[in-house]
Amino acid sequence: MRIVKINAVWCPACIVSNKIWKNVLVDYPDLDIEELDLDFDSDEVKKYNVGDVLPVVIFLNDEKEVFRLIGEKTKEEIYKAVEEYR
């Protein structure tokens, strides 16, 4: 399982969720999480068809998307997705 997190430095919801994701990494140190910036990594971000709402977290299994979180999510929603799709 690989997780791609797409954020932007100007995105308040991204800043909030980054704090939660730091805790996720402590609780699940084996997760493979790649972080991309919407503006600085635009060529890489394009292939994920990201819309206007950030952050976007994409769960990949064998490089195929299995689930996507879009927008600011609660700690409970993030942990539930990690548990279900990791």
Side-chain angles (χ1 to χ4, degrees):
M1 171 64 58
R2 189 164 76 91
I3 298 172
V4 177
K5 285 179 56 225
I6 301 168
N7 300 298
V9 295
W10 46 263
C11 169
C14 299
I15 294 167
V16 170
S17 72
N18 280 338
K19 292 178 182 181
I20 297 169
W21 281 100
K22 284 181 184 178
N23 290 331
V24 169
L25 279 172
V26 169
D27 294 334
Y28 301 96
D30 60 323
L31 287 180
D32 178 15
I33 300 178
E34 177 182 7
E35 294 196 40
L36 299 174
D37 185 279
L38 182 69
D39 299 315
F40 298 115
D41 303 309
S42 58
D43 289 339
E44 184 73 15
V45 169
K46 283 179 188 175
K47 72 181 183 182
Y48 294 109
N49 297 317
V50 176
D52 296 333
V53 179
L54 292 177
V56 175
V57 180
I58 303 167
F59 293 76
L60 302 164
N61 193 3
D62 294 327
E63 293 307 308
K64 293 180 183 168
E65 184 174 334
V66 293
F67 186 69
R68 183 179 287 220
L69 288 171
I70 300 172
E72 186 174 348
K73 301 296 178 195
T74 66
K75 178 181 176 180
E76 292 76 20
E77 290 171 309
I78 291 171
Y79 272 84
K80 180 180 176 187
V82 168
E83 275 295 316
E84 189 169 341
Y85 297 102
R86 73 179 178 117

